[in-house]
């Protein structure tokens, strides 16, 4: 199991802003898909506890991740899994004690993001187009190691690009709320 702290700042943006940023950062030909499969209990205990449990498919790699809110950012725990194991978990659900959660969980939603990224100041900036259940949205994520400087740099980025801050909703919540 691999553990890390995730500190990120996010905002929704328009389709036009997304396209302009891809061009400005020369990323139009550097977009990669990743699909998140979200899991929860029958009565959505994880969502109520603001915990996200997902399998992410990126290329031919599969990673099980637990994200829990922290006083600063989110604490993440990761386990690399095989394609076969991922399909088994998606099909049948699984005992989440393997990643420190005392529940049996099932796949409840999925979302595919087309992501471009690059370095920006002291962090990494991501330009995302997410598709889920007939919906498409666009957002910027800025991941950093230090909160105060990261927030300043994020605000500067928005000001420089004349982007109005629009609070992002977690991808897992968006997918869950729009599933059929």
């Amino acid at each position: 199991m691999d553990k890390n702290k995730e500190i990120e700042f996010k905002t929704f943006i328009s389709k036009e802003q997304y396209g302009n940023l891809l061009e400005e950062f020369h990323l139009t030909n550097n977009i990669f898909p990743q699909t998140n499969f979200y899991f929860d209990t029958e009565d959505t205990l994880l969502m109520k506890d603001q915990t996200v449990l997902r399998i992410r498919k990126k290329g031919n790699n599969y990673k099980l991740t637990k994200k829990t809110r922290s006083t600063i950012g989110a604490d993440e725990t990761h386990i690399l899994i095989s394609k076969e194991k991922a399909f088994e978990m998606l099909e049948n659900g699984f005992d989440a004690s393997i990643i420190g959660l005392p529940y049996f969980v099932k796949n409840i939603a999925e979302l595919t993001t087309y992501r471009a990224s690059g370095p920006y100041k002291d962090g990494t900036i991501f330009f995302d187009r997410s598709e889920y259940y007939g919906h498409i949205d666009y957002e910027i994520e800025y991941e950093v190691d230090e909160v105060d400087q990261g927030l300043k740099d994020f605000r500067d980025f928005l000001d420089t690009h004349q982007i109005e801050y629009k609070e992002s909703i977690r991808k897992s919540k968006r997918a869950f709320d729009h599933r059929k």
Side-chain angles (χ1 to χ4, degrees):
M1 253 188 284
D2 183 30
K3 295 183 180 191
N4 69 291
K5 172 77 69 181
E6 179 186 63
I7 300 170
E8 66 183 8
F9 302 97
K10 306 186 325 178
T11 186
F12 282 124
I13 57 175
S14 70
K15 180 180 181 178
E16 181 182 10
Q17 289 168 321
Y18 172 80
N20 292 341
L21 290 166
L22 289 178
E23 285 186 29
E24 178 184 336
F25 282 79
H26 308 289
L27 294 170
T28 53
N29 295 317
N30 200 16
I31 299 169
F32 300 96
Q34 60 187 35
T35 300
N36 291 340
F37 302 94
Y38 298 103
F39 292 81
D40 208 330
T41 62
E42 293 281 334
D43 49 359
T44 63
L45 289 174
L46 297 179
M47 191 174 301
K48 291 172 187 165
D49 192 37
Q50 296 189 6
T51 296
V52 174
L53 184 61
R54 72 172 184 233
I55 291 176
R56 175 173 284 170
K57 177 189 184 295
K58 195 172 177 180
N60 291 320
N61 297 314
Y62 293 81
K63 185 190 303 184
L64 176 64
T65 298
K66 173 182 72 171
K67 289 175 75 168
T68 55
R69 297 272 176 181
S70 180
T71 51
I72 297 175
D75 293 323
E76 291 186 334
T77 304
H78 308 282
I79 301 172
L80 293 176
I81 57 176
S82 68
K83 178 180 181 178
E84 294 75 25
K85 184 68 174 171
F87 277 91
E88 177 186 316
M89 295 163 95
L90 285 164
E91 182 71 26
N92 303 317
F94 65 97
D95 179 349
S97 65
I98 63 169
I99 198 157
L101 294 168
Y103 307 113
F104 185 85
V105 296
K106 292 187 174 190
N107 179 225
I108 59 163
E110 70 180 74
L111 174 147
T112 297
T113 297
Y114 298 89
R115 172 168 273 188
S117 64
Y120 178 74
K121 296 199 176 181
D122 292 330
T124 303
I125 197 150
F126 301 92
F127 305 117
D128 290 347
R129 182 182 88 232
S130 295
E131 298 181 3
Y132 49 99
Y133 306 106
H135 294 271
I136 299 174
D137 61 45
Y138 304 87
E139 72 183 327
I140 298 169
E141 289 188 19
Y142 183 48
E143 288 190 12
V144 295
D145 293 328
E146 201 279 315
V147 173
D148 295 332
Q149 186 62 47
L151 180 58
K152 179 186 179 312
D153 292 344
F154 182 66
R155 287 180 175 157
D156 289 346
F157 181 89
L158 297 182
D159 289 343
T160 299
H161 293 86
Q162 300 176 339
I163 295 172
E164 178 185 345
Y165 174 77
K166 295 176 190 141
E167 184 175 358
S168 276
I169 299 164
R170 288 188 328 231
K171 286 180 173 80
S172 58
K173 177 97 170 91
R174 285 183 257 164
F176 180 80
D177 288 349
H178 287 94
R179 66 198 169 127
K180 296 176 181 169

